[in-house]
Amino acid sequence: MSDTQGTGSGGASSSGAAWRNNPYSGPYAYNAQSDLALYSGVLTKRFIAFLIDLFVLSVPIVLATIFITLFGVVTLGLGWALFWLISPFSIIWALFYYGLSLGGPHAATIGMRILGIHMETLSGGRPYFLLGVMHALAYWFSVSFLTPLIVVVGFFNRRGQLLHDLVLGTVLVNTAATVPPVRSF
């Protein structure tokens, strides 16, 4: 039994939803036309949040570098052999940071939480650890190969999604626009 209802010329589905896991074929959690408050200013907030997150990521790495330097002085140079651990430590630290923060209960990194944005899937679901890790990896690989194009894509869609968001089916939204107002009686 097939998931496609009918195919037109070239084997393409006439219904437009040939794959079950295609995030762009089903209903979206938010409509980009009517929910403009969800996406207003997200690209600017995202850039500033990125800078804050770079600072948060660099603090343990700088502290480890200072420790190894001082340890090398105390051990008359033998401790400096530990400098090779800085590179793998930085990669593992960044992946755990993004995986735990984006896949956590707030669905946002520290920088994103400060600026009031969070990540969701296109269906409105919360991201999980592996999606947070894949989001970081997709970002860093796409920046390595397509530096200007990854940012330019955000200016040409209503949700402000960057290239890796489109590939992974995620969107960043304003947290204040998704939380219902609290009434006090």
Side-chain angles (χ1 to χ4, degrees):
M1 186 163 182
S2 174
D3 287 338
T4 58
Q5 293 177 353
T7 56
S9 63
S13 172
S14 61
S15 67
W19 296 347
R20 284 187 187 177
N21 62 350
N22 183 0
Y24 301 101
S25 65
Y28 297 116
Y30 306 112
N31 185 356
Q33 299 281 355
S34 62
D35 296 332
L36 294 177
L38 290 170
Y39 309 109
S40 65
V42 168
L43 282 177
T44 305
K45 291 178 183 181
R46 188 175 192 163
F47 174 72
I48 297 169
F50 173 73
L51 295 177
I52 294 169
D53 290 331
L54 278 182
F55 177 75
V56 170
L57 284 170
S58 67
V59 167
I61 296 166
V62 168
L63 291 176
T65 304
I66 291 170
F67 173 77
I68 291 174
T69 303
L70 295 176
F71 185 66
V73 169
V74 170
T75 60
L76 302 176
L78 292 175
W80 293 332
L82 297 175
F83 272 122
W84 73 271
L85 291 173
I86 295 294
S87 183
F89 169 71
S90 354
I91 294 170
I92 292 169
W93 162 234
L95 292 178
F96 270 102
Y97 174 75
Y98 282 108
L100 291 172
S101 59
L102 291 176
H106 298 286
T109 62
I110 292 172
M112 292 165 63
R113 287 176 63 189
I114 289 171
L115 294 171
I117 56 177
H118 70 276
M119 186 171 81
E120 293 185 0
T121 62
L122 282 177
S123 62
R126 290 288 192 187
Y128 42 91
F129 178 81
L130 187 58
L131 183 61
V133 169
M134 290 306 299
H135 196 266
L137 287 174
Y139 171 75
W140 289 108
F141 282 125
S142 63
V143 164
S144 298
F145 297 111
L146 308 167
T147 299
L149 298 177
I150 187 174
V151 177
V152 171
V153 170
F155 294 116
F156 293 108
N157 62 58
R158 295 182 192 270
R159 292 183 179 92
Q161 293 173 292
L162 300 182
L163 188 61
H164 60 287
D165 294 323
L166 292 169
V167 169
L168 294 173
T170 59
V171 65
L172 270 71
V173 295
N174 287 315
T175 304
T178 60
V179 177
V182 176
R183 291 186 176 176
S184 59
F185 294 100

